[in-house]
Amino acid sequence: MDCDVYVPRLKASISQWRQQGVKGVWIKLPIRHAHLVEPTVKEGFRYHHAESDYLMLVYWIPETPDTLPANASHTVGIGAFVMNNNREVLVVQEKSGAFGAKGVWKFPTGVANQGEDIWTAAIREVKEETDIDTEFVEILAFRQTHKAFCGKSDLFFVCMLRPLSFDINKQDSEIKAAQWMPIEEYMAQPCIQEHESFKYVAEICSGQSNSSCSGFRPVPTLSTSGKKSYTYFNKLQLQNKKKELGG
C-alpha cells in the first residue's frame, strides 16, 4: 500500500474508532510494509514489539491511562544436569560469552525457543552442544533475574536429564571443549564456590544424585482453551494425585 493511500485511510479510521469509543488499537506491519512505519508513528502510534518479519505498533486513543498489556517481560533459559553411573556430570566450555575466556566448566545451557516446552529445550540443548541423547527426568530448581538479555527478566530452569548415550561430539561453532567430569571436581571450581547461586544449584544437583531431593516432573494437561500444556509436580504431589484418581 502506498503512503498516499494509507495515511488518509488511517486518519479516517482513527476518527471512526474515536467516535465508536474504541480505546486500544494494534497495527501489525509486515516487514514488506516497513515504509509505513514512520507515517503510522506520526499519527500517534508507538512501538510495542517486533519479530523477524513484522513490527507491532499500538495507539491508546482516549485521554485516560494506557492499559494495553506490555510486551513479553521474560525469556526462559535452561541448564542441563546430566550425570552418568560413574557420578560424572556432562560439562562444556564455551568459545564466547561471559565464561568463554575464563576456562569455566559449566552445564549445557540455552534459551527455549518460542512455543518450545522446557523439557524439550533441555533435551535439544544437550544434543546440540554435545551430541548426547538424553531423557528428561525433572526440574530441580529455577531462578529469576532481571535486566538480563535485551533488558528482559529471565527465568532459568535447572533440569535433570538421564543420559541415553555417552560418546561426546561437541558443537564446534559454540563449544570449545566438552567432557564427563566427576561431580566433586565440578563443584570444586572457584567459580562455583565464589558465586552463591552457582553453589546452591551445584548442591541441589549433588543432593538429587544422592536421592535426597525431589524435583518437579511434567504432567500433560489441557489449558482452558484446549491446548496441550505441561504442569509440573514434585514426586509427593504426583503420588497424592494418583491416589485421588485411584491409581
Side-chain angles (χ1 to χ4, degrees), residues 118 136-142 157-160 215-217 232:
I118 294 170
F136 183 86
V137 178
E138 57 194 10
I139 291 174
L140 298 179
F142 68 91
F157 293 85
V158 180
C159 303
M160 180 177 181
F216 291 82
R217 304 186 180 193
Y232 290 79

Side-chain angles (χ1 to χ4, degrees), residues 22-229:
V22 172
K23 295 182 178 180
V25 180
W26 303 68
I27 290 185
K28 181 179 180 181
L29 290 179
I31 195 168
R32 66 180 181 275
H33 293 319
H35 62 288
L36 300 179
V37 173
E38 183 177 357
T40 304
V41 171
K42 286 183 177 179
E43 294 305 318
F45 284 78
R46 61 176 174 83
Y47 293 172
H48 185 271
H49 69 272
E51 295 292 344
S52 60
D53 58 347
Y54 74 85
L55 173 66
M56 185 71 78
L57 300 100
V58 294
Y59 180 32
W60 185 257
I61 297 177
E63 297 295 327
T64 58
D66 184 342
T67 61
L68 290 173
N71 183 22
S73 60
H74 286 67
T75 57
V76 176
I78 64 93
F81 169 59
V82 187
M83 188 168 68
N84 61 25
N85 292 331
N86 297 323
R87 287 186 56 79
E88 296 172 327
V89 293
L90 183 63
V91 292
V92 300
Q93 285 185 342
E94 296 178 335
K95 287 186 174 181
S96 59
F99 301 108
K102 297 180 180 180
V104 175
W105 291 98
K106 56 187 285 293
F107 295 158
T109 58
V111 177
N113 295 324
Q114 183 173 327
E116 185 177 37
D117 294 307
I118 294 170
W119 65 272
T120 306
I123 292 173
R124 174 184 55 78
E125 285 292 345
V126 172
K127 181 67 174 178
E128 288 179 356
E129 294 189 3
T130 67
D131 203 30
I132 296 293
D133 295 312
T134 57
E135 176 185 29
F136 183 86
V137 178
E138 57 194 10
I139 291 174
L140 298 179
F142 68 91
R143 179 195 69 209
Q144 182 184 34
T145 55
H146 302 292
K147 295 184 179 179
F149 182 68
C150 291
K152 300 293 185 181
S153 297
D154 177 66
L155 288 172
F156 184 82
F157 293 85
V158 180
C159 303
M160 180 177 181
L161 292 87
R162 182 179 297 111
L164 301 178
S165 63
F166 302 92
D167 294 331
I168 297 173
N169 181 25
K170 70 179 180 67
Q171 182 185 34
D172 289 333
S173 61
E174 296 184 13
I175 303 301
K176 183 191 305 182
Q179 67 168 324
W180 293 101
M181 173 183 285
I183 190 169
E184 294 79 11
E185 184 178 340
Y186 167 78
M187 294 181 65
Q189 293 183 96
C191 179
I192 302 298
Q193 294 298 315
E194 293 169 3
H195 291 80
E196 191 174 39
S197 63
F198 291 173
K199 187 176 180 180
Y200 280 159
V201 168
E203 290 173 349
I204 290 171
C205 292
S206 179
Q208 179 60 22
S209 68
N210 292 319
S211 299
S212 60
C213 300
S214 177
F216 291 82
R217 304 186 180 193
V219 176
T221 54
L222 291 178
S223 67
T224 54
S225 61
K227 295 180 179 179
K228 184 178 180 180
S229 62

